[in-house]
Amino acid sequence: MRKLLHSLSFLQKLWLTICLIVICTTIFFFLMFQFAYKQLYVSYVRSTLIQEGTSLVKHYHKTNNVNDFSEFVSKFDAVSNANVLFISNPRDLSACIPYNVSHESFITEDDRETLLKGKVITKTGFEKRFKHQIIGVVVPVVKKEKLEGIIYLHLPLRSVTELIQQSKWIFTISTLLFAFIILLIGRSIIKQMIKPLSRMEQISYKMANGDYTERINYNSGDEIGKLATAFNSMSDSLQKEDENRKEFLANVSHELRTPLSYVKGYSEAILDGVIKQEQQLKYVGIIQKEASRMQRLVRDLLDLATLDGQQFPLSQEPNVIAQLIEDAIETYSQILIKRNIKIQKN
């Protein structure tokens, strides 16, 4: 698994993450739907049945006639969504009626005590007749601390699968719309993340070819924005370093050009016989001096390379300025003579 993830590109990893988010969110949505079914739908059905049962009990106390009330309950059962049954026979109260819910006795001794206190009992279980989970409520009819009967209201509970099946188009369209919105948002986020990274790749290739002028325009406080800022800072440093290198090479070329021209000029003058015999030794000395100058320049270049590696021990030495002036005058003596320039030394 780790090797597979390692072989994926950054873009593929982002898309895989987005898809996993969509799948996990869809599963979470379905689980929340189940929770809502249990907590909201079942609770709503229960409260509705209790409300209907309580209204029937109030009507019983107004009627005071069991037969009339039984007939009223039968009519109410015909128009109600729930199955409604009024039981007043003491023998029936202890039997498993009207259905054997979960194969347990319908009214137990504990239930009877609860009903005598005027409290409602809720029954849930699987009923073979309906092949459904049902919910039922037992509302007591208590008069003068005597249980005169019960009103039993029950209703089959639709399963989550049935609810989804009935609203499958709404569920499917909602899921697809949700996935589309997430993918659209994810695409926008990925595009914003990949754009500066792709730009960095393009600029890095240009930098490899010596072009340090390109920059990344990405102003953000996130990690990619900080990376873009660091990349631009690195580009500035490399550009400055490149400019210093070019300037240094130009200076070195200029410094080498001068002694080389003197060496070449004086050596040609000696070979061509322009310089008199008695002056040749003097100009040979200048040629040697310029050669030594080039040697020192090359040595300085090597020292600079060593300085970059921080391995060069620096030491201070005295320098005779008068000798430097003498050497410079002697070097340029021929040019001074040609241009009739006289230098007076004190």
Side-chain angles (χ1 to χ4, degrees):
M1 184 66 180
R2 184 176 296 178
K3 291 182 178 179
L4 178 62
L5 290 175
H6 184 72
S7 63
L8 295 177
S9 66
F10 183 66
L11 181 61
Q12 290 173 331
K13 290 178 182 178
L14 284 177
W15 275 115
L16 180 61
T17 303
I18 295 294
C19 292
L20 288 175
I21 290 174
V22 171
I23 293 172
C24 292
T25 307
T26 304
I27 295 174
F28 176 76
F29 177 74
F30 181 76
L31 294 176
M32 286 298 297
F33 189 83
Q34 283 187 316
F35 177 79
Y37 164 77
K38 293 178 180 178
Q39 299 297 322
L40 300 179
Y41 173 67
V42 175
S43 177
Y44 170 76
V45 172
R46 178 179 178 274
S47 61
T48 301
L49 294 178
I50 292 174
Q51 185 178 3
E52 291 181 356
T54 304
S55 298
L56 290 173
V57 171
K58 291 179 180 178
H59 186 79
Y60 173 83
H61 290 300
K62 292 179 181 179
T63 304
N64 287 325
N65 188 301
V66 175
N67 293 329
D68 291 343
F69 182 72
S70 297
E71 185 178 351
F72 177 79
V73 170
S74 298
K75 293 179 180 179
F76 184 83
D77 177 58
V79 297
S80 175
N81 293 326
N83 295 314
V84 186
L85 185 67
F86 173 63
I87 303 171
S88 59
N89 191 331
R91 272 190 263 173
D92 292 339
L93 291 177
S94 60
C96 298
I97 60 171
Y99 308 111
N100 189 16
V101 179
S102 299
H103 306 286
E104 295 178 359
S105 179
F106 188 70
I107 299 295
T108 63
E109 288 299 325
D110 293 336
D111 292 339
R112 187 182 296 273
E113 292 297 326
T114 303
L115 292 172
L116 282 172
K117 295 177 182 178
K119 296 181 179 179
V120 177
I121 298 174
T122 302
K123 298 275 187 178
T124 57
F126 183 80
E127 173 51 45
K128 292 182 179 179
R129 175 174 174 176
F130 295 111
K131 295 182 180 180
H132 268 298
Q133 285 284 119
I134 67 169
I135 179 171
V137 295
V138 181
V139 182
V141 180
V142 180
K143 190 173 184 179
K144 296 180 180 180
E145 298 183 354
K146 179 182 177 183
L147 184 63
E148 295 190 357
I150 62 169
I151 299 174
Y152 177 60
L153 302 95
H154 68 90
L155 193 67
L157 289 174
R158 291 179 294 175
S159 65
V160 177
T161 306
E162 289 176 314
L163 290 175
I164 294 176
Q165 188 66 23
Q166 291 179 3
S167 58
K168 61 181 179 180
W169 290 112
I170 298 176
F171 183 79
T172 302
I173 292 173
S174 300
T175 303
L176 292 176
L177 183 62
F178 173 76
F180 175 76
I181 292 174
I182 292 296
L183 291 175
L184 190 65
I185 296 174
R187 180 179 179 274
S188 177
I189 295 174
I190 289 174
K191 186 177 180 181
Q192 292 295 323
M193 293 178 64
I194 293 297
K195 186 177 180 180
L197 295 177
S198 301
R199 184 64 178 155
M200 289 181 196
E201 182 183 9
Q202 296 171 3
I203 294 176
S204 63
Y205 284 121
K206 291 185 178 181
M207 291 170 63
N209 294 324
D211 183 5
Y212 302 100
T213 58
E214 296 288 338
R215 297 292 182 271
I216 300 173
N217 296 321
Y218 186 79
N219 298 322
S220 177
D222 57 13
E223 286 77 5
I224 296 180
K226 294 177 181 178
L227 178 62
T229 302
F231 191 89
N232 289 336
S233 179
M234 181 187 69
S235 299
D236 293 336
S237 299
L238 289 175
Q239 184 178 10
K240 185 177 180 180
E241 188 70 24
D242 185 62
E243 291 174 354
N244 292 336
R245 180 181 62 84
K246 291 178 180 178
E247 184 180 357
F248 175 74
L249 290 176
N251 292 333
V252 169
S253 299
H254 177 73
E255 291 294 329
L256 286 174
R257 189 183 298 115
T258 302
L260 282 173
S261 64
Y262 280 109
V263 170
K264 185 175 182 298
Y266 287 138
S267 61
E268 288 177 352
I270 293 173
L271 292 173
D272 293 339
V274 176
I275 299 176
K276 296 178 181 181
Q277 185 71 29
E278 61 273 11
Q279 292 181 331
Q280 287 183 0
L281 186 61
K282 174 184 176 182
Y283 290 107
V284 169
I286 294 175
I287 291 173
Q288 184 183 11
K289 188 181 298 182
E290 294 299 326
S292 299
R293 180 182 174 188
M294 288 188 292
Q295 187 179 20
R296 287 195 305 270
L297 186 59
V298 172
R299 188 169 57 248
D300 290 342
L301 291 175
L302 294 175
D303 291 341
L304 285 174
T306 310
L307 279 173
D308 288 337
Q310 298 180 353
Q311 298 176 353
F312 187 79
L314 297 176
S315 60
Q316 294 181 352
E317 294 180 359
N319 201 346
V320 182
I321 303 298
Q323 185 62 45
L324 290 176
I325 296 173
E326 287 285 344
D327 292 341
I329 292 173
E330 188 174 354
T331 301
Y332 296 99
S333 60
Q334 285 297 314
I335 297 175
L336 295 174
I337 292 170
K338 287 180 181 180
R339 296 184 181 181
N340 293 323
I341 299 174
K342 295 181 180 181
I343 297 178
Q344 184 176 1
K345 297 182 287 184
N346 296 324

